[in-house]
Amino acid sequence: MSSIAPIGAFDSGMGGLTVVKELMQQLPNEQIIYYGDTARVPYGDKSKETILTYARQIMNFLVDQGVKAIIVACNTVSAVALEDLKNEFDIPVIGVVKPGAKAAAESTHTGRIGVIATRATINSGIYRDFLCRTNPEIEVFQQACPLFVPLVEEGWIDNEITDMIIHRYLDDLVKNNIDSLVLGCTHYPLLRDRIQLAVGDGITLVNPAFETSREFKYVLEENGLLNENEAAAPHRFYVSDGAARFADFAARILNGYTLTPESVTIHAFD
Ligand code: DGL
């Protein structure tokens, strides 16, 4: 596999763009091919079998595009399906959960960490497992926030209904005196300012995207796949539905980066 081949990234929808933003900064020479499964979002309440089937189809599609490595820019897929996907595909595949847990363990001073994520990620217990393995003294307090994903996909970032829902999910969680809060779903950094306002400045919000991109760079280097010489070819974006709306939203997340997403029917990639 050549180091000038593109890298793949995917999510159930627009959330993974928060990881793409970080990848663009940390790996400026890499061409990114992104798939957002906008027709089937959200993944967070679906079964492991369904999530694995969807992720497998997307990864087959990305491999078909010639990617040299894949970043699973979705906590839900990373939590329930990463090990299966790693076994099934023979290119490097990394998820967001392990790097996210590492960043949280480094951020806490009191050892009291909150994790918010989709129901599937919370029920998997994977953040708690990684955090407690890093340091058995750490106490983890979790809360599933299933309504955050549709709010973000709808573009409802700054309004009082969103603020009410944030308070409803987080007010009890912060009573546990946490000092760090993991945004354990790639959609949630898009609500970052509103969440910070709701929980107060004393709690550090941890976005796994930064640490994940750092680890991805390391994995590429280790495998001789880092594109060190070439300027990146234009990134490519694919969705399963709603290309125009995706383009609009993506431009906002990626600070005006203009893109023309293409619709691809993903079922064919079984
Ligand atoms: N953004 C994804 C995550 O990180 C999935 C959200 C969803 O589709 O429910 O978990």
Side-chain angles (χ1 to χ4, degrees), residues 1-73:
M1 181 67 77
S2 154
S3 66
I4 62 167
I7 55 173
F10 71 95
D11 179 47
S12 60
M14 304 178 186
L17 293 172
T18 59
V19 178
V20 166
K21 188 175 177 188
E22 199 54 53
L23 288 171
M24 285 173 163
Q25 271 162 21
Q26 293 193 38
L27 296 163
N29 290 347
E30 302 295 337
Q31 178 193 14
I32 302 165
I33 300 192
Y34 181 83
Y35 191 91
D37 198 0
T38 43
R40 301 189 292 198
V41 64
Y43 282 9
D45 287 317
K46 296 187 167 71
S47 66
K48 174 181 171 168
E49 289 68 35
T50 302
I51 294 166
L52 183 56
T53 303
Y54 290 178
R56 195 182 278 132
Q57 290 168 345
I58 297 171
M59 298 229 329
N60 281 333
F61 167 74
L62 291 172
V63 166
D64 237 46
Q65 305 304 303
V67 300
K68 62 187 173 189
I70 292 178
I71 186 159
V72 179

